[in-house]
Amino acid sequence: MAIFLAAGLSACSGASNPTPSASPSPLTEETLCGVVSSQILRDDLGFQAESYSHRVDAPSESNSTGYFKCLMRSATDLRLIGINYGSIKTEDDKRLATDGTAVPTPPGNREGVLRVRDNFDGGSTLIWIYPDNRMITIWLQYGDGTGPGGGAEREDLTTLLDSLIEAIPAYVQTIDRSLHTRVPARSTDG
């Protein structure tokens, strides 16, 4: 699974009075990426999203579950949260679905399996595997390559995952075409 690191750094100009760059400001939307609660991000993870990008592909004959991908970036500490949902199809998906440690009590006592994989960089990936060959992966990473690695942050990330186990599949089923959104939108001015 690719982990995207996006650290926006402003280049300094050579002028004698450089213009200060605008500091990122937190988004005020209640819901990000169509289903992610800003309140859970803020209250449980201390995560103030500055931007996000998400893609949703409608269910089709070739992919009956559809596809969901969300990448959120925090405003203050260069943290990223990534969420993916879809069918387990590729060898990488199958490896991810069997990698890591199975957690005995899944969130909300739902039918499925929760796996936790410790990443090489100290972070963690949570993998929820549905009984019908679908999965959600969710990860939190800092801009310096570290992540929760256990403890309270992993529990808080599990709270976020728990809120998405039913919400993401329901959301994807409402989509009738592919959708790609960036907030804030990129400027087309050159």
Side-chain angles (χ1 to χ4, degrees), residues 94-117:
K94 291 173 187 172
R95 202 170 18 259
L96 188 59
T98 58
D99 197 10
T101 305
V103 177
T105 306
N109 293 318
R110 295 180 178 96
E111 190 177 344
V113 175
L114 174 62
R115 298 188 79 79
V116 177
R117 188 178 97 194

Side-chain angles (χ1 to χ4, degrees), residues 4-10 50 71 73-74 77-80 142-144:
F4 306 99
L5 291 177
L9 301 174
S10 300
E50 148 199 335
L71 180 64
R73 181 177 162 178
S74 75
D77 56 10
L78 297 178
R79 287 191 294 169
L80 300 172
Y142 289 85
D144 65 1

Side-chain angles (χ1 to χ4, degrees), residues 63-144:
N63 185 356
S64 61
T65 64
Y67 179 78
F68 174 93
K69 184 173 189 162
C70 174
L71 180 64
M72 298 170 286
R73 181 177 162 178
S74 75
T76 57
D77 56 10
L78 297 178
R79 287 191 294 169
L80 300 172
I81 293 178
I83 304 165
N84 295 313
Y85 162 81
S87 296
I88 300 171
K89 289 183 174 182
T90 67
E91 287 304 313
D92 286 341
D93 291 342
K94 291 173 187 172
R95 202 170 18 259
L96 188 59
T98 58
D99 197 10
T101 305
V103 177
T105 306
N109 293 318
R110 295 180 178 96
E111 190 177 344
V113 175
L114 174 62
R115 298 188 79 79
V116 177
R117 188 178 97 194
D118 294 322
N119 300 335
F120 67 91
D121 58 12
S124 292
T125 299
L126 302 180
I127 305 127
W128 176 258
I129 302 140
Y130 297 87
D132 63 354
N133 208 34
R134 297 174 293 142
M135 74 178 174
I136 292 177
T137 58
I138 185 168
W139 52 266
L140 170 68
Q141 185 173 16
Y142 289 85
D144 65 1

Side-chain angles (χ1 to χ4, degrees), residues 19-85:
T19 306
S21 62
S23 61
S25 56
L27 298 174
T28 58
E29 300 171 41
E30 289 182 31
T31 304
L32 309 177
C33 297
V35 293
V36 179
S37 165
S38 293
Q39 183 175 353
I40 290 174
L41 291 174
R42 198 175 42 250
D43 295 350
D44 291 318
L45 290 161
F47 188 93
Q48 293 281 341
E50 148 199 335
S51 62
Y52 69 85
S53 172
H54 97 285
R55 176 182 150 195
V56 183
D57 287 342
S60 64
E61 284 184 34
S62 63
N63 185 356
S64 61
T65 64
Y67 179 78
F68 174 93
K69 184 173 189 162
C70 174
L71 180 64
M72 298 170 286
R73 181 177 162 178
S74 75
T76 57
D77 56 10
L78 297 178
R79 287 191 294 169
L80 300 172
I81 293 178
I83 304 165
N84 295 313
Y85 162 81

